[in-house]
Amino acid sequence: MGAGAKHRLVFVDRLLATLVHLRHATTHDVLACWFSVDRSTITRAIAEVRPLLAERGCTVSPGVRLRTLAEVINHLGADGRTGIIDGTEIRVRRPAAGRKDRDKFISGKNKQNAVKTMVVTDGAGRVLFCSPTKPGSCADITHARQLGLVKLLADGPAVEILADAGYQGLGAQTGGRVITPPHRKFKKNAPDWYEEMHERQRKAHSSRRIRVEHGIAHLKNWRALARHLGRRDHMSDTVQAVAGLLSHQQTADLTSARHA
């Protein structure tokens, strides 16, 4: 028989405690009172279940899940669908004074301590992938390159990926598969016809790309991603666990709507 301390919570209770913690950011102390156990029991339960949820990946159909960016690109290419990418930031606690990497988490955009993840959705806004987190100072385009997006698009199937201006430059590196807002050719004294054309093109691109913002908004409805007050070490697992749970819900809703 195995040695060591036995679980005081059955697996279903450990899973429930983890889901409540992720959805409502309920503290471990409150959950310990709810389940009538010690706080350390809840902490251990969440630490065990959270990585399991993160490893499940994002559900795209019953029994089919996407776990890597390569699988997402292949899925979009096989179905001829458009993907949308965007980076989102999650506020975190500031590192302790004296740490050499303290300034790495300061976002250049929002001027706050944050971690960043790249979100991929389909054209309907359904979450397909959330990347492991990076410090907030990492640029969106740098993060995409580090994830291998350029190589996957250059060597993989023909896929159309919509992105915002933070990814300008990827289009040339991927043979035009990453589509970003049009560059502005006139910085000053632009003709009226050009202003009208540029604004029309910008709005057309924005209206197609807005679905990823809806997907990110659904992610941020989970309080664990609204603002994280715990350790930053677990943020990658937290983000990917929430993405997997949300995608499962979105797929179930879509399946029910089709049956109805």
Side-chain angles (χ1 to χ4, degrees):
M1 300 295 291
K6 304 301 180 183
H7 283 289
R8 293 192 59 190
L9 288 175
V10 297
F11 180 76
V12 173
D13 287 342
R14 281 180 277 155
L15 176 60
L16 178 59
T18 305
L19 293 177
V20 173
H21 172 70
L22 293 175
R23 188 67 177 89
H24 301 288
T26 308
T27 64
H28 295 190
D29 290 321
V30 172
L31 290 172
C33 293
W34 185 13
F35 287 97
S36 300
V37 295
D38 190 77
R39 182 185 185 279
S40 61
T41 302
I42 295 296
T43 300
R44 183 174 70 157
I46 293 175
E48 290 175 351
V49 175
R50 181 171 47 206
L52 299 178
L53 294 175
E55 292 172 3
R56 292 173 71 247
C58 292
T59 304
V60 294
S61 63
V64 179
R65 293 171 180 159
L66 307 177
R67 295 178 174 84
T68 65
L69 187 57
E71 292 177 352
V72 173
I73 298 301
N74 290 333
H75 168 73
L76 293 172
D79 294 343
R81 298 182 179 181
T82 296
I84 315 175
I85 63 173
D86 198 9
T88 185
E89 296 179 350
I90 303 163
R91 292 186 63 184
V92 295
R93 296 173 65 179
R94 189 177 188 184
R99 291 192 57 173
K100 62 179 181 180
D101 59 349
R102 195 181 194 202
D103 294 338
K104 288 175 56 178
F105 291 90
I106 299 179
S107 166
K109 179 169 62 176
N110 295 324
K111 309 301 180 184
Q112 62 186 14
N113 291 274
V115 294
K116 178 176 294 185
T117 182
M118 188 181 80
V119 180
V120 183
T121 70
D122 60 13
R126 185 170 53 160
V127 176
L128 303 179
F129 177 76
C130 278
S131 71
T133 58
K134 287 284 187 178
S137 60
C138 181
D140 288 348
I141 190 171
T142 301
H143 193 188
R145 287 169 176 159
Q146 291 175 350
L147 291 171
L149 180 63
V150 174
K151 180 175 177 56
L152 290 173
L153 291 176
D155 300 340
V159 178
E160 181 186 56
I161 302 292
L162 304 179
D164 63 12
Y167 296 92
Q168 283 182 345
L170 290 186
Q173 297 176 356
T174 58
R177 295 181 181 179
V178 176
I179 302 175
T180 56
H183 286 278
R184 189 176 183 83
K185 296 182 179 180
F186 294 91
K187 293 185 178 180
K188 295 182 179 179
N189 302 322
D192 293 340
W193 64 266
Y194 178 82
E195 289 285 2
E196 181 181 351
M197 180 190 68
H198 182 270
E199 185 66 13
R200 184 170 62 251
Q201 292 175 344
R202 187 191 65 79
K203 286 185 176 180
H205 181 272
S206 179
S207 64
R208 296 185 64 199
R209 197 192 64 83
I210 194 63
R211 294 301 184 121
V212 72
E213 303 291 351
H214 299 164
I216 291 174
H218 288 306
L219 285 170
K220 294 295 183 71
N221 282 337
W222 290 66
R223 291 288 300 277
L225 300 186
R227 181 176 181 180
H228 188 72
L229 300 177
R231 298 179 60 181
R232 297 180 303 278
D233 305 348
H234 309 306
M235 280 306 301
S236 291
D237 283 346
T238 299
V239 169
Q240 293 177 321
V242 171
L245 293 166
L246 175 61
S247 69
H248 183 84
Q249 177 186 352
Q250 291 175 327
T251 300
D253 292 344
L254 181 60
T255 303
S256 298
R258 288 174 178 173
H259 290 165

